Amino acid sequence: LDKSPAAPVLKVALPLPLDRLFDYAAPEIGRGWIGCRVSVPFGHRRLVGVVAAVGAADSEPTRIKAILQRLDAQPLISGELLQTLRWVAGYYHHPLGEVLATALPGPLRGTRPLPQVGETWLLLSATGRRALAEGAARRGSRLAALLARLGEGAQPAAALDMELPGWRDSARLPRARAWFDWREGAMAASADAAAVAGPALNEEQAAALAAVSAAIGSYRGFLLDGVTGSGKTEIYLGAIAQVLAGGRQALVLVPEIALTPQLLRRFRERLPGRVMALHSALADGERARVWLAAARGEAGVVLGTRSAVFTPLPNAGLIVVDEEHDAAFKQADALRYSARDLALVRGRALAVPVLLGSATPSLESLANAEAGRLQRLLLPRRAGAARPPSVRVLDTRGQRLQDGLAPELIDALASRVERREQMLVFRNRRGFAPLLACRACGWHAECERCDAAYTLHRQSRRLHCHHCDRERPVPEACPSCGSHELKPLGHGTERLEESLAQRFPGIPVIRIDRDSTRRRGALDEKLDAARSGDACILVGTQMLAKGHDLPEVTLVAVLNADAGLMRADYRAAERLAQLVIQVAGRAGRADKPGQVMLQTLQPDHPLLHTLLSGGYPAFAREELALRRATGLPPYVHHALVRAEAPDMVALRSFLQAARECAPASAGVQLHGPMPAPSERRAGRWRMQILLESSSRPDLQGLLGEWMPRLRALPQGRRVRWSLDVDPLEAD
DNA sequence: AGCACGCCGACT
DNA sequence: GTCGGCGTGCTC
């Protein structure tokens, strides 16, 4: 190989926490290498990196090694995506190599050849169609479900994996084997399926869609602010259909929990053969195939969760972020990006409209609309003329609660049980009881490694720490005084399920939380049961509040609605307001008005008043004014250096040194080091330094100077630390 | 991040 | 006498 000083080298970004590129030699170096993956020798290992640039070496020529292998003939990451990922590395002050590794699906981070893009599709053969027509499969069987599904058109195997677990066994049954045809290849396989027509749009919907349509072909940010049930999805589908008709791609981001088979089915019915899903439940190989299909422009619509924001879109036409206020769009570890913010960054770079939708927009997006950076589209009416639910506040001060429920709530539940209706009891604590305490001496079970109480789980008969996942058996006697009077205090979803089932034996109680839906498909079984319309009481956490349509629910009860207001976290009010509105949105339809009951110890809280009298818009106005007056986001910008270590002294000395080496900047205030909100977690002490500025450029400028110094601090070796730009929690 | 190198305590 | 603790330095 030519190693003369003038020879250009590849500047390779490697998946390491080192903020620089490494020089490698290769034959015929030119710009065609940029964005290609290469396997390279690195110390005693071999790594796969991405060529970020080509140019003159800035390391000693003798130290430059040659690459081992070029993995891509054509760039895998190119154009706008590469540009955006560079921007991400800069904005979040994260090494480019790690950013690239985050953006690539797992299988593409290695040296193995790229998976075949063509998906496997399953469709009915002629005998299969006859079998379907004759009802050859037993009604209600998995085989019958598979036949029915394929009767709608060909299906990708991956979609069936999600919707009909175990379908492969059914398809292989000897008597049924010939009913099915397998096809390798493009989505054209199902192009014969006819699109299901959508409902006619009302006036506001038509206006909103027209505004988005007019923006197709250039960048424009929209905030689609529509109450629950106002038909935001119809706007998405309408805009996507137009984009597809123009031969362009659409990217749709949804929170993890919202990407259910039902949503997928709805998209697929309306846009047959065009929708590919991208989410964490997919096998790695499948994710890689969808990603590659998008990169080749073959995927028309990519519907995915947070990480799908890194999907390549060579023919981009539109980006949608549904439930844009949802915290799940912010990655909470490693590279702490906000998929919602990145959607806007990409939209601008791609020159396509970006549609942020929510019934309860984030205050960030509302402020952006206020400042003219987003165009606000309002859908103030529930489609189909459904009435909004009425809301009652139940003051539990001085009340005698039974099983954690106020008498008025019990009456309300009882009357609906009698009428065989559906109700939903929301409680944001899973487990049986949030506390196990000793009646004799006041001791309570506390995690040894965190500053948090153990939650009692009765089903598993264990104490469970929700902060570090540690589990231990329930003690027989109080470890402090030996008394046997250990008593569960408080009511988690598990306990509510039990007590409601006892109180109302004639009606099924369905619990929906992380514990009860751990098994694959369990959530959908439970939601299907609820959607069947049969009378039941649904008990659950946050999971119940998000997105699922439960039109038969006539009563929604929120227990401990104020729990969030006790906390110092300045976003608690926003989250509570969103939660209340979202949960309330689950209740009622046109012919069955819904009732919402909020059980609280703070019935006079101003937030509740504003929210109940003026709805979310009034709350948001007030809260934004408060944020502005008190100098909080979105009117100032935050960055947070978090650090944790088992050794408190090492932790302090790192953050002290960090603070001392911070460059002075008139526009940026530093606060701390101070203890993190939960000061000890999983045996580690946690502290942080908060940066605050009304100017993003000032904040970015400081971080740009500070981060390299911070990385060079020797004290940093003994702690785990990270930077969070635009953190969701900052106190 | 890994991984090697290097200098000090308790073991076959 | 060695096995192994983790501090520190380096990786094109």
Side-chain angles (χ1 to χ4, degrees), chain A residues 641-644 649-661 672-674 686-689 706 710 713 715 719 721:
Chain A
V641 172
R642 308 171 196 270
E644 56 173 51
V649 177
L651 180 62
R652 280 226 149 86
S653 92
F654 168 71
L655 283 175
Q656 206 51 56
R659 164 102 211 206
E660 277 157 22
C661 75
M674 57 182 149
R686 294 145 47 95
M687 298 187 78
Q688 58 195 26
I689 295 175
W706 192 29
L710 248 170
L713 283 180
Q715 293 94 327
V719 308
W721 68 272

Side-chain angles (χ1 to χ4, degrees), chain A residues 169-221:
Chain A
D169 293 339
S170 311
R172 276 195 287 263
L173 292 172
R175 71 190 182 89
R177 218 176 275 158
W179 297 352
F180 306 103
D181 267 352
W182 295 81
R183 283 234 185 118
E184 205 61 31
M187 309 186 68
S190 71
D192 54 334
V196 172
L201 300 185
N202 65 32
E203 204 177 310
E204 290 95 0
Q205 286 177 309
L209 180 55
V212 179
S213 304
I216 289 176
S218 61
Y219 169 71
R220 178 143 221 179

Side-chain angles (χ1 to χ4, degrees), chain A residues 385-643:
Chain A
R387 271 179 289 157
S390 70
V391 180
R392 276 188 64 77
V393 175
L394 305 183
D395 181 0
T396 55
R397 287 174 305 182
Q399 288 244 28
R400 210 185 161 77
L401 302 185
Q402 296 179 49
D403 303 319
L405 309 174
E408 193 180 342
L409 175 54
I410 292 176
D411 291 345
L413 289 166
S415 67
R416 282 170 178 80
V417 169
E418 215 159 286
R419 296 204 297 268
R420 306 300 295 168
E421 295 181 355
Q422 283 195 345
M423 43 231 106
L424 191 161
V425 177
F426 175 87
R427 171 73 169 110
N428 220 354
R429 289 297 274 274
R430 65 195 169 89
F432 188 81
L435 214 57
L436 180 69
C438 171
R439 285 185 127 163
C441 73
W443 170 90
H444 71 267
E446 206 160 47
C447 178
E448 297 79 358
R449 295 153 37 102
C450 305
D451 50 8
Y454 271 119
T455 299
L456 175 65
H457 284 243
R458 184 109 115 197
Q459 224 165 359
S460 59
R461 317 188 101 265
R462 320 265 301 164
L463 295 174
H464 195 148
C465 173
H466 290 182
H467 284 103
C468 72
D469 264 1
R470 187 189 178 86
E471 282 184 57
R472 42 169 286 186
V474 180
E476 299 272 317
C478 172
S480 170
C481 73
S483 155
H484 282 260
E485 288 195 86
L486 292 179
K487 193 185 176 196
L489 291 182
H491 303 261
T493 46
E494 202 187 347
R495 190 176 198 173
L496 286 165
E497 177 191 25
E498 191 180 295
S499 57
L500 286 166
Q502 267 169 25
R503 186 180 295 275
F504 302 115
I507 191 166
V509 177
I510 302 172
R511 172 161 62 99
I512 296 184
D513 58 24
R514 192 135 58 83
D515 301 313
S516 76
T517 57
R518 211 172 291 266
R519 190 171 50 79
R520 216 172 119 86
L523 175 61
D524 282 300
E525 282 167 29
K526 285 165 182 277
L527 287 172
D528 280 342
R531 266 187 292 257
S532 74
D534 296 341
C536 67
I537 302 178
L538 291 155
V539 178
T541 56
Q542 199 88 25
M543 290 183 93
L544 267 179
K546 296 191 180 179
H548 313 297
D549 249 356
L550 300 167
E552 301 299 325
V553 168
T554 60
L555 171 68
V556 172
V558 182
L559 309 187
N560 292 47
D562 43 39
L565 298 178
M566 316 282 196
R567 298 190 38 206
D569 178 1
Y570 70 89
R571 276 182 216 267
E574 179 184 355
R575 264 190 250 109
L576 175 59
Q578 289 166 346
L579 178 79
V580 168
I581 300 298
Q582 297 277 344
V583 175
R586 302 299 119 221
R589 293 184 320 187
D591 52 332
K592 280 191 183 176
Q595 168 84 61
V596 177
M597 291 188 162
L598 303 178
Q599 198 174 281
T600 174
L601 282 167
Q602 301 180 67
D604 303 321
H605 197 284
L607 157 68
L608 282 182
H609 269 278
T610 310
L611 192 60
L612 298 188
S613 58
Y616 190 80
F619 159 76
R621 264 195 306 279
E622 215 163 90
E623 188 68 10
L624 276 172
L626 189 69
R627 297 266 187 100
R628 190 195 285 277
T630 47
L632 284 168
Y635 299 106
V636 306
H637 310 293
H638 282 167
L640 197 59
V641 172
R642 308 171 196 270

